[in-house]
Amino acid sequence: MVKGANVGLAALSENAGSVIVSLSWSSPSGEGDADVSVLLLGANGKVRGNADFYFYNNPAAADGTVQLLGPAPTENGSEDRIQLDLTAFPGDVDRIIIAASRHQRAHFGELENIRLALTDGSGDDLLGFSIADAGAESAFVFGEIYRRAEAWKFRAIGQGYDSGLAGLATDYGIEIDEDDDSDQDGEPSPLDASGEGEGSASPTVETSTPTLLSDQPIQAQAAPRADALAGVPVQRSAEPAAAKAPAAVPARRLRTAKKKITLPKAPKISLAENEAWRAARLFPASSLKSDREREMRATSVLLAVMTQVPEFGRRLTAAFGAPAGRMQTFTEVSLPNGDTPRRPDGIIRVERAGKLWTALVETKTNGNALRSEQIQDYMDIAARRGYEAVITLSNDVALEGSSLVEVKTDGRRKHKVALWHLSWAEVTHQAQLLIRHEGVRNEAHAWLLQELLHYLQHENSGCHGFQNMGPAWVPVRNGIDEETLSPGDPRTVQVVESWERLIRQVCLRLGGELGTKVVPVQRAKRGTDPRSRRAELAGRLCVDGQLHAEIRVEGAPGILAIVADLRMGRLRTSIEVPAPEQGYPLTWVKKLMKQLGEAPADLHVQTLLDGETVGPRGTLERLRPEPGDLLPRGSERITGFRLTLSKSVGSTRGNAETGFIRGVDAAVDLFHAGVVTQLERPRPGQRAKAAEASA
């Protein structure tokens, strides 16, 4: 069709009562995206109310007449579909506007192949309409479906707006407060189009901010803020105030800022008759019998979700140098390699601006180790075929300066292939961040990530992360107990590396659960070789039988220190809290005792003093009735307080219930939840002082 043309739908198909509208586009940069919207208009050319506006924050009508089905990748770009049940629209709906807009006022002129297509209920193509003259417009009305003599017709419009979704919506009578470019990217702003106080999101998801603005009448609200959208009028009545009848509370104004969908904090009440019933899962894991089956299933599940959830796929591949673009993934692909073809577990391809980025993927589950000769073959194949990367995926955690597999690179080849490693703990971490904290744009995407996370955490998936301290663990512990461990023993370096992997995994797990940045702290001079640092820690292990680590939790009042005393079989977790800059010492300790009201009674508290003097100390159980016991008897200045919790820790490698790895996880969780979260966050000045003291 051409711009301005119209056609009756009944003349095109006998099944035009239910239609699918598809809006598609492509982007030379691979980063182009747009969002569809639908407006239902009355005979006056305006919406009947805000509930007639369907877009990313209000994707479906309760009666099923309008359903935004969401975007899907295509060969040339992206396609967004809308399902309309034309037989169910009430008689006062005269026109159905089909539109699309770009986020933060990006231009449609940056996109290519902008097209609308219409199919009937049986899937047959009815019509198509292309927009070839897009420029600086940030929103477009593609077309409209309208009534004529009780029959539905379609008109190709192609009208652009440079004022974005808000400008388009206000043209049709929607009251917009502000659109997505007045909010920070990623800030949740859900919508309740009905104005009844119930969110439009599915019960399986939740949003973290109030859905709508004030209930107060618009006339009583303050003037529009300076940062609100230019050109968005505030609708006011033209009647004099004195002539008005008592005003009812008007419909709430809508916001077009994109909401971010996350998982609910509390699970829904189960409808199962008893606990033996198990919910149906998209990715079942209980039937897996062998490691090969686990590797194939895990690879296919992960790569499929990466393709369908763009935020997740981009999050995982960005660190490997992949461009932002259209992604496709493949499994069990046979590639020639001399007389014996090789079959990597997966392939990731990303297209941007007509160029392809390709990575081979090799997966291991459970405790299976990556094989150097296998990875070497994939590196050689990638180099010959011009691929950019080989990605290994296993439960192991990569360390700086310590290779998981040894491969040789042919310096004569001009094309270089990068070797990257991804741990299953990192995959779980990124999934947790998105669906529990940062959110994704699409409810179906949130559900897919939830199913992926459930699969990764299933006891039979084989994707549980670093779970074994290695073959050197037991001999080194025996050597510590028997005092026969000699400095320079290479097994001590292996234990230090396993300890570092464990701490990195603890940071990933805790960061995913909290939604904050949690990183290990390395006490070494800048530029120090990681291997020499580990050798120094191994020498220290031979002397005192202890493994030391520190982690920084964003927002915590100090650094969390972790000491595993292998000789005593104890694990100590501690944090140093700086003293306030003002006030009286007795007030400080009383306030500290109040903050630690729910902390474990065996928490050890010590006062830190200037110099090398040991300050007063005691357990929380003893100090609660007498907080003054923490005050020094002399004139020493209090610099802070050290809080320490000591627990016994298992001695096995990590596979048993009482294993060392499980013990470390449990101790860190207990200390953070029972102690750290109860402490007051430091003010900026105190935070700088604490950082200086710990440097």
Side-chain angles (χ1 to χ4, degrees):
M1 297 183 68
V2 297
K3 187 173 181 178
N6 63 77
V7 63
L9 298 183
L12 301 177
S13 172
E14 296 179 354
N15 298 315
S18 176
V19 296
I20 297 288
V21 183
S22 301
L23 305 185
S24 59
W25 39 76
S26 60
S27 169
S29 67
E31 297 180 322
D33 193 13
D35 302 290
V36 304
S37 54
V38 173
L39 297 101
L40 309 184
L41 309 184
N44 64 350
K46 303 291 183 181
V47 295
R48 300 166 301 170
N50 285 348
D52 282 343
F53 183 28
Y54 298 94
F55 64 122
Y56 39 72
N57 287 351
N58 184 40
D63 59 5
T65 53
V66 180
Q67 295 184 65
L68 307 189
L69 303 180
T74 65
E75 279 196 25
N76 298 319
S78 179
E79 179 183 76
D80 221 321
R81 298 182 303 150
I82 306 163
Q83 183 170 347
L84 301 173
D85 186 356
L86 301 179
T87 64
F89 282 101
D92 57 350
V93 173
D94 190 66
R95 295 160 59 194
I96 305 167
I97 300 296
I98 311 298
S101 59
R102 300 206 64 196
H103 188 45
Q104 293 186 335
R105 302 282 185 86
H107 298 164
F108 268 90
E110 299 168 354
L111 302 180
E112 296 178 351
N113 305 315
I114 305 172
R115 181 174 174 81
L116 175 147
L118 200 68
T119 59
D120 64 12
S122 61
D124 293 333
D125 294 335
L126 301 184
L127 58 88
F129 169 53
S130 297
I131 297 176
D133 57 349
E137 300 89 350
S138 53
F140 256 100
V141 173
F142 280 64
E144 65 177 3
I145 299 175
Y146 61 99
R147 293 183 195 264
R148 282 295 182 270
E150 301 304 318
W152 290 102
K153 303 183 72 174
F154 175 83
R155 177 181 291 116
I157 296 179
Q159 177 185 346
Y161 290 76
D162 59 8
S163 51
L165 180 59
L168 183 154
T170 51
D171 239 16
Y172 293 104
I174 295 291
E175 296 177 346
I176 297 293
D177 181 73
E178 55 186 44
D179 79 352
D180 46 359
D181 37 343
S182 61
D183 280 302
Q184 294 296 324
D185 198 19
E187 177 185 346
S189 291
L191 164 76
D192 173 3
S194 68
E196 298 297 327
E198 295 293 328
S200 62
S202 163
T204 60
V205 297
E206 71 166 9
T207 49
S208 56
T209 59
T211 57
L212 290 167
L213 301 182
S214 171
D215 287 347
Q216 297 301 318
I218 295 174
Q219 289 82 358
Q221 293 182 13
R225 297 196 311 267
D227 62 349
L229 285 181
V232 180
V234 177
Q235 298 188 357
R236 301 182 185 275
S237 172
E239 287 186 67
K244 289 185 179 179
V249 176
R252 297 179 182 180
R253 299 164 63 84
L254 305 186
R255 299 183 66 185
T256 63
K258 291 184 180 180
K259 71 179 178 182
K260 291 293 187 177
I261 300 169
T262 57
L263 293 179
K265 295 179 180 178
K268 292 185 296 184
I269 298 176
S270 174
L271 301 180
E273 288 184 6
N274 56 66
E275 294 182 357
W277 287 18
R278 292 289 178 263
R281 313 304 315 198
L282 181 63
F283 310 123
S286 56
S287 61
L288 298 175
K289 302 299 183 182
S290 67
D291 284 342
R292 183 56 184 160
E293 288 181 351
R294 292 183 181 91
E295 290 174 8
M296 294 175 62
R297 176 73 61 84
T299 305
S300 184
V301 167
L302 174 62
L303 296 185
V305 175
M306 287 173 61
T307 301
Q308 296 302 317
V309 186
E311 300 99 323
F312 181 62
R314 179 63 185 150
R315 186 72 63 87
L316 292 183
T317 57
F320 304 145
R326 183 170 64 94
M327 179 185 298
Q328 287 189 355
T329 54
F330 309 87
T331 59
E332 295 297 310
V333 177
S334 179
L335 297 175
N337 184 53
D339 296 332
T340 308
R342 291 289 182 263
R343 296 171 63 90
D345 291 315
I347 292 180
I348 301 172
R349 303 204 88 173
V350 181
E351 180 190 23
R352 177 172 179 174
K355 296 181 179 180
L356 287 175
W357 180 93
T358 307
L360 305 182
V361 180
E362 176 60 21
T363 303
K364 297 296 181 184
T365 55
N366 283 335
N368 297 316
L370 297 162
R371 294 188 290 116
S372 296
E373 62 275 11
Q374 189 177 36
I375 305 304
Q376 183 71 63
D377 286 343
Y378 294 148
M379 292 287 288
D380 293 339
I381 292 172
R384 290 196 301 268
R385 302 181 71 86
Y387 297 162
E388 282 71 21
V390 172
I391 300 173
T392 57
L393 178 60
S394 72
N395 282 318
D396 214 337
V397 179
L399 298 179
E400 182 184 5
S402 178
S403 300
L404 291 176
V405 290
E406 296 293 337
V407 295
K408 298 178 181 179
T409 57
D410 189 343
R412 296 171 296 178
R413 286 192 175 126
K414 294 182 179 180
H415 183 75
K416 304 299 181 183
V417 179
L419 177 61
W420 301 95
H421 180 73
L422 183 65
S423 71
W424 287 113
E426 174 70 12
V427 175
T428 301
H429 169 78
Q430 297 295 353
Q432 285 179 315
L433 285 182
L434 282 173
I435 61 177
R436 291 181 176 168
H437 305 286
E438 299 173 11
V440 293
R441 288 176 46 197
N442 185 287
E443 293 176 13
H445 292 173
W447 179 73
L448 276 174
L449 282 176
Q450 182 182 18
E451 289 298 298
L452 171 66
L453 188 59
H454 182 272
Y455 177 86
L456 295 177
Q457 295 175 335
H458 193 282
E459 59 184 7
N460 197 36
S461 70
C463 306
H464 306 126
F466 180 71
Q467 292 182 298
N468 195 304
M469 292 295 288
W473 176 247
V474 173
V476 168
R477 291 207 62 162
N478 291 339
I480 291 173
D481 291 340
E482 299 165 1
E483 297 186 349
T484 58
L485 192 62
S486 302
D489 190 327
R491 294 176 298 183
T492 58
V493 176
Q494 296 175 26
V495 168
V496 167
E497 289 182 343
S498 295
W499 170 249
E500 188 173 332
R501 290 188 170 95
L502 172 57
I503 295 302
R504 287 184 178 274
Q505 182 163 286
V506 167
C507 291
L508 289 172
R509 183 184 55 79
L510 190 59
E513 292 173 358
L514 300 177
T516 58
K517 190 174 183 180
V518 182
V519 295
V521 178
Q522 303 291 1
R523 300 289 184 178
K525 293 181 180 180
R526 183 173 297 179
T528 301
D529 179 31
R531 288 171 294 187
S532 64
R533 176 178 56 81
R534 294 183 190 114
E536 181 180 345
L537 294 175
R540 185 175 177 182
L541 174 62
C542 292
V543 175
D544 58 17
Q546 296 180 351
L547 293 167
H548 298 259
E550 293 179 313
I551 62 176
R552 178 181 288 109
V553 180
E554 186 176 23
I559 301 296
L560 272 68
I562 306 170
V563 178
D565 192 328
L566 304 186
R567 184 173 287 118
M568 302 298 296
R570 306 288 295 180
L571 189 87
R572 295 194 301 273
T573 47
S574 63
I575 187 171
E576 293 186 4
V577 183
E581 297 175 352
Q582 297 178 344
Y584 298 97
L586 182 58
T587 304
W588 300 344
V589 296
K590 286 183 177 180
K591 184 177 181 180
L592 181 62
M593 292 298 106
K594 185 176 181 180
Q595 291 179 23
L596 298 173
E598 301 298 325
D602 58 344
L603 179 70
H604 188 271
V605 184
Q606 178 182 359
T607 302
L608 303 178
L609 306 175
D610 258 342
E612 299 180 358
T613 307
V614 177
R617 53 189 175 182
T619 63
L620 201 57
E621 183 179 26
R622 184 179 68 82
L623 292 171
R624 277 172 175 154
E626 297 293 339
D629 288 351
L630 280 176
L631 299 179
R633 296 185 179 181
S635 58
E636 297 92 344
R637 185 175 69 91
I638 297 177
T639 60
F641 303 92
R642 180 184 292 122
L643 314 177
T644 305
L645 199 59
S646 180
K647 297 292 180 182
S648 60
V649 66
S651 59
T652 59
R653 295 182 186 179
N655 294 327
E657 289 295 330
T658 58
F660 179 75
I661 292 176
R662 292 178 182 270
V664 173
D665 280 335
V668 172
D669 286 347
L670 175 63
F671 187 74
H672 184 269
V675 180
V676 178
T677 57
Q678 300 186 42
L679 298 173
E680 186 179 85
R681 291 193 175 193
R683 294 186 297 274
Q686 285 181 301
R687 189 178 292 113
K689 179 181 177 182
E692 182 181 351
S694 62

